[in-house]
Each structure stands twice: as structure tokens, then as C-alpha cells.
Amino acid sequence: MTEQADSKLSVTEIQAIFDRSPFIGWLGLKVVSLDHERREIKVRMGMRPELERRPGTRQFHGGPIAAFIDVVGDFAIGMLVGGGVPTMNFRTDYLRPAIG
């Protein structure tokens, strides 16, 4: 969400931003729902072999999980401040495998 947003983006507009980005498009992120009043965005990243930790395990590799957190977190913060923000810092502790 690098563009400044004077008005609230719709699901379609956010999905178009995702689809225009070579990396986010490759991750296959899909906006499931958006509720500006509740300040909530739901996004899905489907499992596919290129995102697996090891072939056949259906366990997500940590890299795609971190990218998912970064992208969706940016849009969640953008909903609050009215535009995109750079990632300053984030940490992810992997407690168990994310499967499927």
C-alpha cells in the first residue's frame, strides 16, 4: 500500500494493487473481506508447492508467512492512517508449522 489514499479503498481496489505487484501477485494473496468501520481486513494466501517448507508436507515456508504478515499488516495500518506505510520493524516467532 504505497499510494496515499485520501478515500477508503474497496476490496476490488486493494485486490488490484495486490495483482499489479509482481511479488504479491506471485504469493497469490486474495482479499476475503474488508470492513472499514471495524478496521478489519481479511486476506487469504493459498498453499501451493512453491510455498512449501519441504515438498509434500503442505507446511508453509517461513518466508511467505513473513511476507504475508508484512503486506497485510501494511494494509491494516494504512486503513488507520489513510495511506501506505513502510515496514519499520517486525518479528515473527514460529511456534508450530502452518499447514495448508
Side-chain angles (χ1 to χ4, degrees), residues 21-91:
S21 166
F23 182 67
I24 298 171
W26 180 81
L27 286 173
L29 302 189
K30 300 295 180 198
V31 181
V32 175
S33 65
L34 178 67
D35 186 330
H36 287 284
E37 287 183 25
R38 293 180 62 189
R39 298 179 175 176
E40 180 178 277
I41 182 170
K42 293 182 183 179
V43 178
R44 175 171 289 139
M45 178 173 64
M47 171 51 78
R48 56 180 213 271
E50 299 89 353
L51 305 179
E52 281 185 301
R53 187 172 150 249
R54 286 190 317 241
T57 63
R58 295 197 40 81
Q59 295 177 1
F60 278 96
H61 185 281
I65 291 173
F68 179 86
I69 293 166
D70 184 40
V71 171
V72 178
D74 180 44
F75 278 80
I77 296 298
M79 289 175 69
L80 298 176
V81 300
V85 294
T87 300
M88 299 303 286
N89 187 23
F90 85 82
R91 172 186 163 156

